[in-house]
Amino acid sequence: MNNYLKKMRGNGQSPPGVSFAEVCWSWIGSFLGIAAVALLHYKLLDQHGLMLLLGSFGASAVLIYGAVRSPLAQPRNLLGGHILSAIIGVTAFQWLGSYPWLAAAVAVSTAIALMHLTKTLHPPGGATALIAVIGGESVHQLGYLYVVMPAALGACVMLAIALIVNNIPKTRKYPEFWL
């Protein structure tokens, strides 16, 4: 028991701070990425709900614009994580929707397992799966269209912005890998 509790102390170092330029590039990328997805929805779909703008895209923005070298921020993870998790989330809702607590748990845990197995682990994918279950009637009506729009389309738009913005400064390179 003592060793178990010792693990909770932590013994690693805190990550180093980042430069002001890095902060600025992260801000610019995330602003443009989120704005592009929201504007696409606003112009093409409707001017109210902004359903194309999943909450999980906020977390993806942190990774793909703020932690560009993280394995979890790479294109394979971004796209695979959101798309696979959306499929799992919709399926969990369709099979277990009358038990939302169970559908939510199955969606997130199965999405994590599938992302591990496919080497597409992207933490915001767990939220994408959860949103498919708890997102309400407007999300549920989409069915598997939720996988294409908003999940895949939004992730692709954010990826395009990441490829452009993250490669402007000499100090940044994105992606680290594709496959």
Side-chain angles (χ1 to χ4, degrees), residues 33-144:
I34 296 295
V37 174
L39 184 62
L40 184 66
H41 180 106
Y42 184 82
K43 292 292 186 181
L44 295 181
L45 300 175
D46 71 62
Q47 298 177 356
H48 300 292
L50 294 182
M51 185 193 308
L52 188 59
L53 193 59
L54 294 176
S56 53
F57 288 159
S60 290
V62 172
L63 288 168
I64 67 172
Y65 306 117
V68 299
R69 293 189 172 170
S70 169
L72 306 176
Q74 302 311 306
R76 170 192 180 105
N77 301 73
L78 172 71
L79 298 176
H82 281 295
I83 292 167
L84 293 173
S85 295
I87 292 168
I88 295 297
V90 171
T91 302
F93 177 76
Q94 289 185 352
W95 289 358
L96 301 166
S98 57
Y99 303 97
W101 65 271
L102 182 58
V106 166
V108 173
S109 57
T110 305
I112 292 169
L114 184 58
M115 287 187 286
H116 270 307
L117 291 171
T118 58
K119 296 194 257 182
T120 58
L121 190 65
H122 186 67
T128 297
L130 185 59
I131 291 166
V133 174
I134 66 167
E137 193 57 33
S138 61
V139 172
H140 299 151
Q141 285 178 348
L142 291 173
Y144 286 100

Side-chain angles (χ1 to χ4, degrees), residues 145-169:
L145 182 58
Y146 173 80
V147 176
V148 177
M149 187 177 71
L153 180 59
C156 285
V157 169
M158 290 182 64
L159 175 59
I161 300 294
L163 290 169
I164 294 167
V165 172
N166 287 336
N167 288 300
I168 292 172

